Amino acid sequence: ATAAPGAPLADKLRRLLGFYQACLSPTQVRLLSVVALFRTPVAEATVLRIARGLFGQDAEAPLPADSALRTTLARLHSDGVLTREPMADGAGYAAHPVLRDHFRGVLIGSGAAGRAADLLSGAPSDDRPRTLAAVEPVLLAIDLLQAAGDFRAADALYRGRLENGKLLKWIAAPQAKRAVARGFVGDAGRQARCADLLG
């Protein structure tokens, strides 16, 4: 993602990943796109819930039953495309950072970033989050919206769900607060877009 367009290695990787994507079934691409939303391992149940929320209403290419989705995930793992990594309550699926960047871009390019962010962030709870793990879904949703260029929606989540950053200070998560800030103003393009959309 950080390699400049036109760099030989970057171009080779993009062509290779595009070819690889074309060899996969639509269901495999969708599942990989969902796993790619997460920086850390994600539980199978979460992958299925988000896949249903994003693609369950597609009449032209409906998702198969959950049992078939589980089989597809297991096959992606046995083929070495996804890994199984330890989590607090078992094991979850994860993608290599190169695959993650590519398939996250596929989902953003499909126009589904807003719906994915809604599914990730969920409904606000009456209880104030007390740990970084509790706000991680909201951080992922903000990151996804920033990557998609929807800075207004990202800002609304930041101001509402993260209390304009005060929540991250309260739970002592300065690195997360800096990462969110960089997502808004990390380069000249984002700075200009934020100035245009948010003032």
Side-chain angles (χ1 to χ4, degrees), residues 29 40-41 67 75 81 116 119-120 124 128 139 148 151 158 162 188:
V29 171
T40 55
S67 58
R75 179 66 187 268
V81 180
L119 291 165
L120 285 169
R128 193 181 204 196
L139 294 172
F151 288 102
Y158 179 75
L162 300 181

Side-chain angles (χ1 to χ4, degrees), residues 19-77:
F19 171 78
Y20 183 70
Q21 178 188 337
C23 295
L24 297 173
S25 72
T27 298
Q28 289 173 318
V29 171
R30 287 170 168 179
L31 291 175
L32 279 168
S33 297
V34 171
V35 173
L37 293 173
F38 296 85
R39 296 186 196 99
T40 55
V42 55
E44 179 181 80
T46 302
V47 175
L48 298 185
R49 176 180 64 81
I50 293 177
R52 288 265 171 239
L54 287 175
F55 310 113
Q57 304 301 317
D58 189 342
E60 292 182 12
L63 283 177
D66 282 359
S67 58
L69 293 178
R70 289 188 189 95
T71 300
T72 302
L73 281 169
R75 179 66 187 268
L76 288 168
H77 171 244

Side-chain angles (χ1 to χ4, degrees), residues 84-110:
R84 291 279 286 169
E85 307 291 340
M87 296 174 61
D89 53 352
Y93 288 103
H96 186 280
V98 172
L99 286 178
R100 182 177 175 268
D101 283 349
H102 177 79
F103 284 98
R104 190 168 177 262
V106 169
L107 190 138
I108 290 170
S110 73

Side-chain angles (χ1 to χ4, degrees), residues 1-18 98 102:
T2 58
L9 179 57
D11 284 348
K12 284 180 184 177
L13 271 176
R14 288 184 185 103
R15 285 196 302 272
L16 176 63
L17 289 167
V98 172
H102 177 79

Side-chain angles (χ1 to χ4, degrees), residues 120-121 125 127-139 161-162 167 171:
L120 285 169
S121 60
S125 169
D127 297 327
R128 193 181 204 196
R130 297 182 178 276
T131 64
L132 183 58
V135 297
E136 183 69 20
V138 177
L139 294 172
R161 298 291 295 280
L162 300 181
L167 182 60
I171 63 174

